[in-house]
Amino acid sequence: EALPSSPVRITGFKTLPEFGDEFVSVKDEKTARSMASTSASKSQLGGRIEVNSSELIRIINRSNKINELNLIVKADVQGSLTSVIDSLKTMDTDEVAVRIVGSGVGMIGENDIHLAHSSGAIVYGFNVTVSNSVKHLASRDRVPIRVYKIIYELIDDAKEELVKLLPPEVIE
């Protein structure tokens, strides 16, 4: 048993667990293998993003004229990535929306720059590094890379970008 914030060491994984995964204790190896195979078959169905009903209705009701800010988010750990993406998703309004084109854990790589170039996205990094070759590729393709160590600065920068997308207010 490990209570919250109790350090533990678990070995023997073929793949690393995702952030928020639950661990289950079983009696024997046979039961563990059967549970692991059913869990693996469920995860192979996916690649799907979980969307609750209110988000789905909001997406359906959005007009096609809404301006979207395309973003690619990279972070040092899965927990930080989840926090950043959740914070960015809360900034949607009726006129502008944040669209996460790609995300991941680890350094900003060449594939991220290619994806940003093709989708017109801004690459945000949180506590990650950028190699010189990736910086050169980004400058050549005119892809903005913004790396932050403080989440609030990243969110403020995204807000500024969303404000730039707002249509001008007409007053008669």
Side-chain angles (χ1 to χ4, degrees):
E1 179 179 354
L3 299 175
S5 66
S6 299
V8 296
R9 180 180 301 203
I10 303 173
T11 61
F13 287 111
K14 291 181 181 175
T15 59
L16 291 176
E18 293 293 322
F19 177 75
D21 282 353
E22 293 184 17
F23 291 88
V24 180
S25 174
V26 293
K27 291 186 225 176
D28 56 5
E29 187 175 349
K30 183 179 179 182
T31 309
R33 287 190 188 279
S34 67
M35 287 179 68
S37 65
T38 57
S39 175
S41 65
K42 286 180 185 178
S43 67
Q44 288 174 355
L45 298 173
R48 297 180 183 156
I49 300 172
E50 293 183 22
V51 178
N52 63 27
S53 60
S54 62
E55 284 185 52
L56 186 59
I57 290 170
R58 183 182 53 79
I59 291 169
I60 291 171
N61 290 335
R62 274 199 309 211
S63 68
N64 291 335
K65 299 177 184 177
I66 193 167
N67 292 326
E68 290 184 328
L69 176 63
N70 294 334
L71 300 176
I72 295 175
V73 182
K74 298 289 282 198
D76 57 346
V77 293
Q78 186 67 36
S80 298
L81 180 67
T82 305
S83 297
V84 170
I85 290 175
D86 289 346
S87 297
L88 290 170
K89 284 183 180 178
T90 62
M91 296 191 303
D92 290 354
T93 66
D94 293 337
E95 298 166 329
V96 293
V98 173
R99 182 171 159 230
I100 306 295
V101 177
S103 63
V105 176
M107 291 177 48
I108 297 171
E110 292 182 9
N111 290 338
D112 299 318
I113 302 303
H114 293 305
L115 179 60
H117 179 65
S118 63
S119 62
I122 298 171
V123 180
Y124 280 117
F126 182 71
N127 281 336
V128 294
T129 58
V130 184
S131 67
N132 288 333
S133 62
V134 172
K135 286 179 184 177
H136 178 69
L137 179 64
S139 66
R140 185 191 77 192
D141 291 344
R142 295 189 181 116
V143 174
I145 297 177
R146 300 176 185 164
V147 180
Y148 294 95
K149 299 258 185 228
I150 301 172
I151 192 170
Y152 299 111
E153 292 176 358
L154 187 147
I155 301 302
D156 288 343
D157 186 77
K159 282 180 186 176
E160 290 175 16
E161 291 297 324
L162 282 172
V163 167
K164 292 177 186 176
L165 293 176
L166 286 171
E169 188 176 330
V170 177
I171 300 173
E172 293 184 24

